[in-house]
Amino acid sequence: MRKQQSGKIINISSIGGSFGEPHGAWYHATKYAVEGLSDSLRMELKQFGIDVVIIKPGAILTEWNGIARENLMQVSGGTAYGDLARKHVKMLAEADKRGSSPQVVAEAIYKAVASKRPKTRYAVGGGAKIILFLRNILPDKLFDRLMLSLIKR
């Protein structure tokens, strides 16, 4: 790509690369890492005409949600975090019903690849745009309360 002075690197992150939630520190840390890596690469590679794009899916109808719920209960269900973990599992199950087809991720990748001037980030899928909008406008502690309220319903 450097030799031809063009190219695109498309990294798949998550809306979880922009906020945290209970029981998800390990997951959110990896997504924040993808975001930081991509942001740094984008600046480094600009001189070579290489674009770096991040795809940020929200709720997508894959096996991820079921695996996350199962692991959450295995790890935290019988601990001091058990009550909140059970509520979180319930919220995740409800969110899964509002997920989008994986096709929206494929379409975002295609859009980024086909664009002469791609955006740096594409938020797609169930709830992605609204949750990122709220994350950007709300103070941290208010956003934290919002996240906890979604879990504790």
Side-chain angles (χ1 to χ4, degrees):
M1 285 191 256
R2 283 193 307 252
K3 187 175 182 181
Q4 68 186 15
Q5 291 287 297
S6 68
K8 291 185 176 81
I9 296 172
I10 312 294
N11 287 328
I12 310 299
S13 181
S14 164
I15 60 170
S18 298
F19 63 89
E21 64 184 315
H23 316 113
W26 58 271
Y27 176 79
H28 293 276
T30 65
K31 300 309 172 186
Y32 271 82
V34 170
E35 300 271 334
L37 171 73
S38 300
D39 289 341
S40 296
L41 282 176
R42 187 177 58 256
M43 290 182 276
E44 291 172 18
L45 299 175
K46 182 175 177 52
Q47 65 182 318
F48 302 113
I50 301 168
D51 295 312
V52 179
V53 175
I54 304 168
I55 308 295
K56 296 175 69 77
I60 303 295
L61 296 173
T62 66
E63 67 280 355
W64 183 92
N65 190 295
I67 293 167
R69 292 190 318 258
E70 187 177 306
N71 286 336
L72 177 52
M73 288 311 297
Q74 280 182 342
V75 172
S76 299
T79 70
Y81 302 97
D83 183 51
L84 187 60
R86 283 184 287 284
K87 290 175 182 172
H88 199 165
V89 164
K90 182 180 173 191
M91 184 275 293
L92 287 170
E94 291 170 8
D96 204 28
K97 296 173 189 170
R98 294 184 298 275
S100 299
S101 164
Q103 183 71 24
V104 299
V105 176
E107 290 167 359
I109 294 168
Y110 177 80
K111 189 174 183 178
V113 170
S115 175
K116 281 190 173 195
R117 298 182 65 158
K119 296 190 282 186
T120 58
R121 287 172 170 77
Y122 291 82
V124 298
K129 290 181 181 171
I130 186 68
I131 198 81
L132 292 176
F133 172 74
L134 291 170
R135 180 65 192 108
N136 285 330
I137 66 165
L138 296 176
D140 290 341
K141 289 185 179 184
L142 184 54
F143 187 81
D144 291 353
R145 284 200 311 261
L146 171 66
M147 293 301 293
L148 285 169
S149 74
L150 293 173
I151 293 169
K152 290 183 176 182
R153 286 189 205 186

